[in-house]
């Protein structure tokens, strides 16, 4: 806050000369002051800077009617008087000296506002004592005091969180009548990790708000209620302050945000093909999503679908996938699927979900290290096909031979003409 006061201070007495005209020389001293912070809080310390300027122009000495006039202003002392609410931490300035034409002088005073001070405007008294022909000056400087604090608001904070990486935000409102600086928001919740651990906002103008955004990782949190709180620290001038703590009871539920649905399982021998949809049930997008078969005992991923890259899976969205694996033990009842992804802050996260094989058709099992077993199955199937083809061919040939025999007999009957039958009948009649 800067104030300008123009003081028509007579630095030299009015000179009268033995002539028909009277000459008046009146150099003017101006006073500016600034206060930091503009508005104090109870207990704050601050500074009042007083700037004195000699507004006279030209030479230090002015010749007038054979008289030499001094344009310097002499300041003997400068001090600031406080009261029971405002304590002045400096003793003041003594024997300040001359202030020549156009020169400027800055005087700084440190002030402390008492803890029990009331809101409103309080005054300190500036006293400047002049030397030579300069008049003294007394001036009251107003100090504003306001105890309103910065407030953190958790307006959009969810009351329930899953075992997920979620993004939440809080608002920081500056209710003060002056700007605050170096605002930092710090979250806290036992057993919960945040990114970033502190959020730097910077300056917030009077009557405005800013938003701090955090990523919460509750992937490994146990189910139950947890208290989440936020505090904002800031500077009012050079004074560090903390806002009141804003807190909320949040319930953690044991549920992954990425859920499989529409699972279909096909099997051929000991080979499984799993297909379906991966759904993002959370409130935050998942990036670089990759699903894959975990390579463990009795379960081996198979190409070309040992893993399946989905990419970005937005909140309330889904994507299809397909995976293949070979199971080498009849004791296996489910296949573990590894889901890997990154949150909006590129933090890596991995979770495992089991897909049950109860609904899959029956299969036969073989050793996982006997790659020839699959070939043997194919060869066996091929031999069966060959036998079937041979039987069908033999049946076809037999049926064809029978048809040929029937045709041959018919041809033999056609070798005797009708007239030979007639002669035979006539001879028989004659006898």
């Amino acid at each position: 806050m800067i104030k300008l006061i123009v003081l028509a201070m007579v630095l030299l007495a009015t000179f009268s000369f033995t002539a028909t005209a009277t000459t008046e020389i009146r150099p003017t001293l101006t006073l500016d002051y600034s206060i930091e912070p503009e508005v104090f809080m109870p207990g704050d310390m601050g500074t009042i800077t007083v700037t004195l300027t000699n507004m006279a122009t030209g030479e230090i000495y002015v010749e007038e009617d054979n008289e030499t006039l001094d344009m310097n202003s002499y300041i003997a002392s400068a001090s600031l008087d406080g009261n029971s609410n405002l304590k002045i931490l400096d003793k003041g300035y003594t024997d300040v000296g001359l202030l020549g034409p156009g020169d400027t002088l800055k005087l700084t005073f440190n002030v402390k506002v008492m803890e029990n001070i009331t809101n409103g405007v309080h005054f300190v008294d500036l006293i400047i004592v002049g030397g030579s022909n300069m008049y003294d000056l007394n001036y009251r400087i107003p100090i504003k005091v306001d105890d309103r604090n910065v407030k953190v608001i958790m307006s959009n904070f969810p009351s329930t969180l899953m075992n997920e990486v979620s993004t939440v935000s809080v608002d920081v409102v500056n209710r003060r009548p002056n700007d605050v600086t170096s605002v930092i928001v710090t979250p806290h919740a036992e057993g919960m990790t945040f990114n970033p651990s502190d959020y730097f906002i910077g300056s917030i103008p009077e009557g405005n708000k800013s938003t701090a955004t955090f990523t919460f990782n509750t992937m490994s949190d146990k189910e139950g209620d947890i208290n989440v709180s936020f505090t904002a620290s800031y500077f009012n001038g050079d004074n560090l302050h903390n806002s009141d703590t804003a807190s909320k009871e949040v319930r953690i539920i044991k549920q992954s945000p990425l859920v499989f649905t529409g699972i279909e399982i096909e099997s051929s021998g000991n080979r499984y093909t799993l297909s379906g949809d991966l759904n993002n049930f959370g409130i935050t997008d998942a990036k670089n999503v990759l699903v894959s078969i975990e390579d463990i005992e009795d379960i081996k991923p198979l190409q070309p679908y040992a893993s399946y890259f989905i990419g970005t899976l937005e909140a309330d969205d889904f994507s299809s996938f397909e995976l293949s694996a070979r199971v080498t033990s009849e004791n296996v009842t489910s296949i573990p699927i590894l889901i890997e992804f990154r949150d909006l802050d590129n933090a890596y996260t991995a979770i495992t979900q089991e897909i049950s094989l109860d609904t899959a058709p029956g299969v036969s099992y073989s050793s996982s290290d006997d790659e020839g077993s699959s070939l043997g199955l194919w060869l066996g199937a091929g031999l069966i096909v060959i036998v079937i083809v041979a039987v069908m061919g033999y049946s076809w040939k037999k049926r064809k031979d029978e048809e040929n025999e029937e045709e041959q007999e018919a041809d033999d009957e056609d070798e005797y003409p009708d007239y030979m039958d007639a002669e035979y009948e006539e001879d028989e009649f004659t006898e």
Side-chain angles (χ1 to χ4, degrees):
M1 178 177 63
I2 299 176
K3 297 292 184 182
L4 175 63
I5 305 162
V6 179
L7 306 172
M9 303 176 63
V10 180
L11 303 180
L12 298 176
T14 301
F15 291 88
S16 298
F17 300 94
T18 56
T20 58
T22 301
T23 303
E24 294 184 353
I25 306 297
R26 295 181 180 273
T28 303
L29 185 71
T30 63
L31 183 151
D32 298 341
Y33 71 86
S34 62
I35 302 177
E36 179 63 26
E38 293 183 26
V39 183
F40 286 74
M41 296 182 71
D44 277 357
M45 295 178 60
T47 58
I48 299 176
T49 301
V50 177
T51 303
L52 301 176
T53 302
N54 185 349
M55 298 300 293
T57 58
E59 301 296 333
I60 296 177
Y61 300 99
V62 177
E63 296 290 338
E64 185 71 26
D65 295 336
N66 297 322
E67 294 287 338
T68 301
L69 307 178
D70 189 352
M71 300 300 292
N72 290 320
S73 58
Y74 179 73
I75 301 174
S77 65
S79 61
L80 207 62
D81 285 350
N83 49 52
S84 59
N85 293 317
L86 301 169
K87 182 178 181 181
I88 309 302
L89 304 179
D90 301 292
K91 295 181 179 180
Y93 298 85
T94 59
D95 195 17
V96 176
L98 294 175
L99 193 62
D103 288 347
T104 298
L105 176 66
K106 290 183 179 293
L107 306 174
T108 301
F109 302 90
N110 293 308
V111 181
K112 178 177 175 61
V113 175
M114 308 309 291
E115 292 283 355
N116 58 351
I117 195 172
T118 57
N119 289 342
V121 179
H122 302 262
F123 294 91
V124 292
D125 295 321
L126 174 65
I127 302 173
I128 296 178
V129 177
S132 185
N133 295 317
M134 177 179 166
Y135 295 147
D136 295 341
L137 168 67
N138 294 330
Y139 186 78
R140 304 190 74 192
I141 298 178
I143 304 293
K144 294 182 179 180
V145 179
D146 194 309
D147 63 358
R148 282 178 288 181
N149 204 346
V150 167
K151 185 176 181 62
V152 179
I153 301 176
M154 302 171 65
S155 57
N156 297 321
F157 201 92
S159 58
T160 303
L161 292 172
M162 297 184 294
N163 290 137
E164 61 179 322
V165 178
S166 55
T167 300
V168 296
S169 60
V170 295
D171 294 328
V172 183
V173 181
N174 180 13
R175 300 181 297 171
R176 294 192 51 72
N178 62 299
D179 299 353
V180 294
T181 60
S182 301
V183 181
I184 298 176
V185 184
T186 303
H188 178 75
E190 188 173 354
M192 186 182 295
T193 57
F194 306 89
N195 187 31
S197 57
D198 296 287
Y199 190 98
F200 177 75
I201 292 178
S203 298
I204 303 180
E206 59 177 292
N208 282 264
K209 74 172 184 178
S210 293
T211 301
T213 303
F214 297 88
T215 299
F216 284 6
N217 189 335
T218 56
M219 296 295 297
S220 58
D221 284 19
K222 298 180 180 179
E223 188 169 12
D225 296 330
I226 188 171
N227 185 270
V228 181
S229 61
F230 294 87
T231 304
S233 64
Y234 63 95
F235 279 89
N236 187 49
D238 292 331
N239 305 279
L240 178 63
H241 292 275
N242 292 307
S243 70
D244 295 332
T245 299
S247 61
K248 187 173 185 178
E249 197 76 18
V250 178
R251 181 164 185 79
I252 306 297
I253 60 175
K254 201 70 176 177
Q255 170 66 52
S256 172
L258 300 181
V259 180
F260 290 117
T261 59
I263 298 298
E264 295 183 359
I265 303 176
E266 298 178 0
S267 63
S268 175
N270 63 349
R271 178 190 178 100
Y272 281 90
T273 299
L274 297 82
S275 61
D277 297 327
L278 180 63
N279 301 263
N280 186 355
F281 193 57
I283 61 176
T284 304
D285 296 350
K287 301 190 302 182
N288 301 337
V289 180
L290 178 69
V291 292
S292 57
I293 301 288
E294 284 202 43
D295 189 354
I296 61 176
E297 185 179 1
D298 298 329
I299 299 176
K300 299 299 177 184
L302 291 180
Q303 298 297 339
Y305 297 118
S307 60
Y308 193 98
F309 181 74
I310 293 176
T312 299
L313 192 58
E314 298 179 352
D316 297 330
D317 199 3
F318 71 93
S319 178
S320 300
F321 71 95
E322 183 174 346
L323 296 171
S324 299
R326 184 176 65 251
V327 178
T328 59
S329 173
E330 61 183 4
N331 296 324
V332 175
T333 59
S334 63
I335 295 180
I337 307 299
L338 179 65
I339 306 174
E340 301 171 272
F341 63 96
R342 293 184 180 274
D343 60 29
L344 296 179
D345 296 318
N346 290 321
Y348 171 82
T349 303
I351 57 177
T352 300
Q353 293 192 25
E354 301 279 342
I355 293 182
S356 175
L357 299 180
D358 291 343
T359 58
V363 295
S364 59
Y365 299 90
S366 60
S367 173
S368 62
D369 56 359
D370 186 5
E371 295 294 340
S373 61
S374 297
L375 179 60
L377 290 174
W378 285 108
L379 291 175
L383 290 175
I384 293 174
V385 172
I386 292 173
V387 170
I388 293 174
V389 171
V391 171
M392 293 176 64
Y394 175 76
S395 300
W396 178 83
K397 185 176 183 304
K398 183 178 179 181
R399 185 170 62 253
K400 193 67 175 176
D401 291 342
E402 291 176 351
E403 292 176 354
N404 291 336
E405 289 179 0
E406 293 176 355
E407 291 178 358
Q408 184 64 38
E409 291 176 357
D411 291 341
D412 292 343
E413 291 178 356
D414 292 341
E415 291 178 357
Y416 299 96
D418 294 341
Y419 71 87
M420 292 185 65
D421 294 338
E423 290 179 356
Y424 176 78
E425 291 175 356
E426 182 178 353
D427 293 342
E428 190 178 53
F429 176 78
T430 303
E431 292 179 357

